[in-house]
Amino acid sequence: MSIQATESVSPSLFGASTATPSQSATADKDMFLNLLVAQMRYQDPLNPTDSGQFLAQSAQFTALEKMQAVADQTAMLVSSQMAFGATGLVGRDVTWTDATTGATSSGLVQGVTFSTEGPLLDVGGQQVPLALVATVGTTGSSTSSPTSATVPPAVPDFQ
């Protein structure tokens, strides 16, 4: 019996149901358990199957399930980090290359919209996917003045 090492990874990290197991994963688990029960039920009583093989197969299947759960949680973590990163761009200048025309544009990020394809930056009324952003800078309209640091007065040394 062969078990696939991994399931296919969805191209979008922002899918609606990344944390729930898919129907095929549930069907695979049920099929495995049904085959295991059938194999035990119809084994030759004079030449029983090694129980160590059953335990090894069960352990492999459990390990595969846990690895898939870790992969799903990692994908959710990456999508959360991308969302936080996109919100951090509000109020900053970005430069991107338009995917259809190939022209380079820039503008001030005014907001972020979250869709199934990922975060979309609102730049001057245009929706720009986060993946297209090439550079990020500070706003050109604000002038940053150096801040004066206040140094606490020196404490006299009484020796």
Side-chain angles (χ1 to χ4, degrees):
M1 178 167 104
S2 66
I3 298 175
Q4 288 182 330
T6 59
E7 290 184 13
S8 63
V9 178
S10 78
S12 173
L13 294 175
F14 294 92
S17 62
T18 57
T20 60
S22 66
Q23 287 181 338
S24 100
T26 305
D28 289 344
K29 182 178 181 180
D30 290 340
M31 186 185 314
F32 173 77
L33 292 175
N34 287 336
L35 285 173
L36 183 66
V37 169
Q39 200 172 12
M40 291 176 71
R41 182 179 299 150
Y42 298 112
Q43 67 180 334
D44 183 7
L46 299 176
N47 185 15
T49 308
D50 183 19
S51 62
Q53 289 179 344
F54 290 126
L55 291 174
Q57 289 175 352
S58 177
Q60 288 174 346
F61 196 80
T62 302
L64 178 63
E65 282 183 320
K66 296 299 180 185
M67 285 188 288
Q68 184 63 45
V70 168
D72 291 343
Q73 291 174 352
T74 303
M76 288 183 356
L77 178 64
V78 167
S79 66
S80 296
Q81 287 177 334
M82 287 180 67
F84 285 127
T87 57
L89 294 177
V90 175
R92 302 193 70 183
D93 285 324
V94 293
T95 303
W96 72 96
T97 303
D98 191 357
T100 56
T101 63
T104 303
S105 302
S106 64
L108 180 68
V109 178
Q110 298 166 342
V112 179
T113 304
F114 299 99
S115 70
T116 57
E117 291 83 30
L120 298 172
L121 306 176
D122 181 17
V123 183
Q126 184 178 0
Q127 297 291 320
V128 178
L130 182 62
L132 295 181
V133 173
T135 62
V136 178
T138 58
T139 58
S141 60
S142 67
T143 58
S144 59
S145 61
T147 57
S148 60
T150 57
V151 179
V155 178
D157 187 15
F158 296 107
Q159 290 184 0

